[in-house]
Amino acid sequence: MAKSTQKKFYHQDTEAKLQVIEKYLVSYLSVMKNQKWSELVYIDAFAGSGNLPTEIDSGFLEPLIDADEFVLGSATRALNLPLKFDQYIFIEKDENKVAELKQLKDSNPNSNINLVTGDANDELLKLCPYLAQSNVRAVVFLDPFGNQVSWQLLEALAKTKHVDLWYLFPSMLGVYRQIGKSDARMDETKKASLDKLFGPHNWRDAFIEKFVDQDLFGNRDASRKTAEVDDITRFKIKCLSYIFEGGVSEKWLPLGRKGAHWYSLLFAMANPSPNASKAGHAIANSIMSRK
């Protein structure tokens, strides 16, 4: 067997993503430190290793990887902020990454860190009753590899009324590419994946056009993809706006490689308070300067 090559896969958009989260956390803690809430929580789902690798064995998955790319990951950055959360919850199912997160926890003995091993959807759903308690406020960062985040989870987070959400939505890799390049032929697995992602919202009518095609053999029913990546992002924002009472930013940070739009970093607030919503969106919009 040929020896696999080592390929570096750090790129500027990963850094941009993490800088946005870091800047928001700094501002969030600055605003909230003098509030009456007794518990401020940061939750990083799909937390990875905390300190992320700079290289990968073989180029096989290299074009698809975004979440685990930068040396100083989101978990480590959250712990290094000048102001602190009362609790940090890192969720990860990969045992090797959990082991590295344990090392991160051991190196930060003064921070209240809870490591949760398991599927992010399942474990976050279990945490939602806690997040809904009157004395709890939380920032949740969902940084999935693809279509793992279910609509059920997003609904549950919205119902807490206490969560500020950052979500790396896989607009191109998870949605646009699933539909296909030149037509809308999809297998049942891909359809089920998008059903899970969008819940009750009709992505088929939003992204696919049906028409009658005429050829040498007569008429036949056909379909084609009509949505571009930006259209898919706007549709997701509209869907989220129905459940997040504090609003969803109409700005987003497009992320990818070589100018491509692979992911959309989205911001939403569950808190229905007009003052809280105004403050949160002002901060988020100011740091998402690329869109």
Side-chain angles (χ1 to χ4, degrees):
M1 177 181 292
K3 184 179 179 180
S4 64
T5 58
Q6 294 288 314
K7 292 195 175 183
K8 295 191 176 187
F9 54 96
Y10 159 75
H11 63 85
Q12 287 183 329
D13 278 10
T14 302
E15 168 69 355
K17 171 188 68 178
L18 295 176
Q19 282 188 358
V20 165
I21 303 303
E22 182 177 7
K23 288 177 181 178
Y24 187 80
L25 295 181
V26 168
S27 297
Y28 179 89
L29 288 170
S30 178
V31 170
M32 298 295 285
K33 67 178 182 178
N34 294 322
Q35 302 297 323
K36 62 183 178 180
W37 322 118
S38 61
E39 184 123 18
L40 297 179
V41 183
Y42 174 69
I43 300 179
D44 194 329
F46 312 95
S49 62
N51 286 297
L52 304 177
T54 58
E55 296 182 336
I56 184 171
D57 289 333
S58 172
F60 169 59
L61 287 177
E62 191 264 347
L64 299 180
I65 293 178
D66 181 78
D68 288 356
E69 295 182 81
F70 189 60
V71 174
L72 188 59
S74 53
T76 303
R77 291 187 181 211
L79 289 167
N80 287 344
L81 299 176
L83 296 176
K84 303 299 180 183
F85 283 87
D86 297 302
Q87 183 178 186
Y88 300 83
I89 301 174
F90 302 139
I91 304 174
E92 176 58 55
K93 66 186 294 186
D94 183 277
E95 293 182 359
N96 292 328
K97 293 178 181 179
V98 171
E100 295 184 40
L101 285 170
K102 288 180 179 177
Q103 294 180 2
L104 181 64
K105 177 179 179 179
D106 292 342
S107 65
N108 289 271
N110 295 324
S111 297
N112 181 14
I113 301 172
N114 287 296
L115 305 182
V116 179
T117 304
D119 177 82
N121 284 286
D122 296 338
E123 300 304 329
L124 263 177
L125 283 171
K126 295 176 187 176
L127 286 169
C128 282
Y130 159 68
L131 298 176
Q133 293 180 15
S134 61
N135 66 325
V136 174
R137 295 293 183 272
V139 178
V140 175
F141 180 32
L142 299 178
D143 194 11
F145 180 80
N147 290 7
Q148 293 94 333
V149 175
S150 70
W151 184 257
Q152 180 187 14
L153 172 60
L154 295 172
E155 280 188 316
L157 291 172
K159 288 178 181 178
T160 68
K161 301 187 185 298
H162 295 159
V163 165
D164 289 10
L165 175 68
W166 286 96
Y167 172 26
L168 192 70
F169 172 60
S171 46
M172 192 280 276
L173 291 183
V175 182
Y176 183 87
R177 197 175 63 174
Q178 296 292 327
I179 298 173
K181 295 181 179 180
S182 60
D183 58 52
R185 288 176 294 183
M186 299 174 65
D187 62 33
E188 293 305 314
T189 300
K190 291 178 179 179
K191 291 178 182 177
S193 176
L194 296 190
D195 286 340
K196 176 183 177 182
L197 196 67
F198 290 103
H201 304 282
N202 191 344
W203 59 267
R204 291 169 177 82
D205 285 352
F207 305 153
I208 298 171
E209 177 186 53
K210 295 181 179 180
F211 64 98
V212 176
D213 187 28
Q214 293 182 334
D215 56 26
L216 295 175
F217 302 98
N219 296 337
R220 64 180 182 87
D221 292 333
S223 60
R224 60 186 164 222
K225 176 171 57 182
T226 57
E228 298 297 330
V229 179
D230 280 4
D231 300 321
I232 292 167
T233 300
R234 293 187 187 96
F235 182 77
K236 185 66 173 185
I237 288 172
K238 182 178 180 180
C239 295
L240 292 172
S241 70
Y242 292 122
I243 58 174
F244 280 87
E245 295 185 42
V248 185
S249 176
E250 294 185 1
K251 286 189 174 185
W252 67 84
L253 188 67
L255 299 167
R257 293 190 184 181
K258 298 179 180 179
H261 183 178
W262 289 3
Y263 293 89
S264 302
L265 185 60
L266 308 180
F267 175 74
M269 292 188 66
N271 192 336
S273 164
N275 289 336
S277 178
K278 181 179 179 180
H281 283 281
I283 296 169
N285 290 338
S286 70
I287 57 182
M288 288 197 290
S289 58
R290 292 177 55 188
K291 185 68 182 176

